[in-house]
Amino acid sequence: MPLVALAAAALAIGFEQLIQWKYGPLGIIAFVALSVGLKARNTAISGLGAAVLVMLLAQSG
């Protein structure tokens, strides 16, 4: 079980670094808002984070 938790944490940190490298500080703020909103089951915060990430993805594509 600790190995699974360690692997999940490493994957999350790697994904965070990728978002920050590609989309800058706004990307990391949006990712944090999305993850906090999902964990707290708050649709407003998670929706805001998702919308900002979508706008950043659409801008770069």
Side-chain angles (χ1 to χ4, degrees):
M1 190 69 130
L3 183 61
V4 174
L6 184 62
L11 184 64
I13 290 172
F15 185 69
E16 258 184 70
Q17 292 298 320
L18 177 70
I19 293 286
Q20 186 174 11
W21 169 71
K22 189 156 176 120
Y23 302 110
L26 189 58
I28 201 72
I29 291 169
F31 178 72
V32 167
L34 177 64
S35 61
V36 166
L38 289 174
K39 193 164 285 251
R41 297 182 190 258
N42 188 333
T43 56
I45 294 174
S46 60
L48 179 69
V52 171
L53 279 177
V54 166
M55 286 190 291
L56 287 171
L57 288 170
Q59 180 184 15
S60 68

